[in-house]
Amino acid sequence: MMQHDLNNPLHRWLLFLDEKITEQQLEELVTMDSTIKTAEERLQRLSCDEETLRLYEAREEAFIEYNSAMSAARRAGIREGIEIGEQKGIQQGKRDGRIEGKQEIARNMFAIGLDIETIMKLTGLTIEELNKLK
């Protein structure tokens, strides 16, 4: 626990809000600071009210459920993003492979002396694409 300067109002509040505060420290704070005394009295009243406790617990439960749902949604989104990325990558790879295959066939056709019109018909490549391969 950090060392608190009880002459500093901020330090008194930090100590008051600390979960590990002892009864003796709490009594000392209540004696020193009237606003802390008022806050402590209100907390005592509220903690005795069953409806307030029920609402507090419901809020805490809702907060936990929200965080859990957000975490699950984030994980699902990441998984989906990876799957979509892989699918797009595979599709792009197939497209690139088909183009490279056509280009290789066109080079071989050029090598055996076929004319550009015939190569264009057989490969489906454009005249611009074939001119780049020459």
Side-chain angles (χ1 to χ4, degrees), residues 66-90:
Y66 171 81
N67 284 338
S68 178
M70 291 302 288
S71 181
R74 190 175 301 111
R75 285 191 305 273
I78 290 169
R79 272 194 310 276
E80 184 179 341
I82 289 170
E83 289 171 9
I84 289 171
E86 286 176 348
Q87 290 170 0
K88 286 184 177 183
I90 289 168

Side-chain angles (χ1 to χ4, degrees), residues 11-28:
H11 284 225
R12 288 194 299 265
W13 276 103
L14 290 172
L15 181 59
F16 176 70
L17 296 172
D18 190 331
E19 292 178 358
K20 296 176 182 137
I21 188 171
T22 65
E23 282 297 318
Q24 181 182 353
Q25 290 172 319
L26 181 59
E27 286 178 29
E28 187 176 356

Side-chain angles (χ1 to χ4, degrees), residues 2-109:
M2 89 178 245
Q3 197 67 343
H4 294 283
D5 174 9
L6 296 183
N7 293 319
N8 182 328
L10 176 61
H11 284 225
R12 288 194 299 265
W13 276 103
L14 290 172
L15 181 59
F16 176 70
L17 296 172
D18 190 331
E19 292 178 358
K20 296 176 182 137
I21 188 171
T22 65
E23 282 297 318
Q24 181 182 353
Q25 290 172 319
L26 181 59
E27 286 178 29
E28 187 176 356
L29 290 175
V30 167
T31 304
M32 289 181 75
D33 195 318
S34 63
T35 54
I36 291 178
K37 179 179 181 179
T38 303
E40 174 61 15
E41 289 169 353
R42 286 184 184 167
L43 284 173
Q44 288 298 326
R45 268 195 320 269
L46 289 173
S47 67
C48 293
D49 180 23
E50 285 184 32
E51 179 64 13
T52 301
L53 283 175
R54 189 188 66 72
L55 290 173
Y56 169 78
E57 289 169 357
R59 183 184 180 284
E60 287 296 307
E61 187 175 320
F63 183 69
I64 291 168
E65 288 175 7
Y66 171 81
N67 284 338
S68 178
M70 291 302 288
S71 181
R74 190 175 301 111
R75 285 191 305 273
I78 290 169
R79 272 194 310 276
E80 184 179 341
I82 289 170
E83 289 171 9
I84 289 171
E86 286 176 348
Q87 290 170 0
K88 286 184 177 183
I90 289 168
Q91 291 170 354
Q92 183 63 46
K94 286 179 180 179
R95 279 192 296 273
D96 292 348
R98 282 192 295 273
I99 291 169
E100 288 174 11
K102 288 180 181 184
Q103 290 171 342
E104 183 63 29
I105 291 169
R107 281 190 205 93
N108 291 338
M109 289 177 171

